[in-house]
Amino acid sequence: NDDKFNLKNISFVIKKGDKIGIIGPSGAGKSTLIEILLGILKPSIGDIKVDGKSIYFYQKNWKKLIGYIPQKIFILDNSFRNNILFGLENEKYNDDKLIELIKKVNLDKLLNRLPQGLDNKLGERGIDLSGGEVQRIGIARALIYDPEIIFFDEATSSLDTFTEKKILSEMENFKDKTFISVAHRIGTLKNCNKIYHLNNGEIIDSGNYEKFNKG
């Protein structure tokens, strides 16, 4: 209800397999837009539709399609396995599937470093993990149940540029997924085929990466 968080006249189409970027300053409405797309918030006017059906009437089905990667990843004082499963039933996800995913998100070096492998505890807040490893655990957590749409909510903004570039290049392993990425830095959106510039709750410009990266 606060004017600061109002979104106005926003309308766009996302196709399966698109890599969408949303950029804008703090307070532009990026987080509000993401929370609406996730189905956490419901707009007072308008709708979010998938194949012509409102996500608000099919919330359970919609949640099965999406994976969410926030900026801050919470690490459990628990095993490596349980930090990826994060409450999912162990029986449904065997170790072979976990190891396959670990390799895809470049966490195999961490796995080899841990004396007890998947059973090794990561410790409170992942104190012995690098920032990149923590973020990759968050990515693995979002990808474990094979969602079709992945939301990156400032997911690499706290990392150094080298680690960020490495993680973004690793996401090329998941070309079949639809990505929606929110960022402050345009460089984070290099792999996006369409970028929307949000400011004061409105889309003020859109285009490809080259359009926004003219120097």
Side-chain angles (χ1 to χ4, degrees), residues 79-187:
S79 68
F80 186 19
R81 177 190 289 102
N82 287 339
N83 265 285
I84 294 176
L85 293 175
F86 208 59
L88 296 174
E89 294 174 31
N90 286 27
E91 297 77 31
K92 291 183 180 178
Y93 303 91
N94 61 40
D95 286 358
D96 289 341
K97 183 170 183 177
L98 279 173
I99 290 167
E100 183 185 347
L101 178 60
I102 283 166
K103 287 178 180 176
K104 278 187 177 179
V105 299
N106 207 17
L107 277 170
D108 41 333
K109 286 181 183 176
L110 171 61
L111 180 64
N112 294 335
R113 197 173 82 226
L114 298 172
Q116 294 171 286
L118 285 170
D119 294 316
N120 208 103
K121 280 196 170 187
L122 297 185
E124 195 170 353
R125 297 180 185 175
I127 197 163
D128 294 325
L129 303 177
S130 69
E133 286 169 342
V134 169
Q135 213 59 32
R136 285 183 176 93
I137 288 170
I139 292 167
R141 194 180 282 170
L143 290 168
I144 185 64
Y145 55 93
D146 201 25
E148 292 190 30
I149 305 163
I150 312 294
F151 287 85
F152 268 81
D153 193 358
E154 304 272 8
T156 57
S157 63
S158 62
L159 302 175
D160 62 85
T161 308
F162 174 78
T163 306
E164 180 183 57
K165 282 182 179 176
K166 208 164 182 320
I167 287 178
L168 292 174
S169 70
E170 288 157 13
M171 291 301 97
E172 291 293 305
N173 291 329
F174 304 94
K175 284 183 179 177
D176 58 323
K177 306 290 184 190
T178 303
F179 282 90
I180 301 170
S181 304
V182 174
H184 274 101
R185 301 190 294 249
I186 188 63

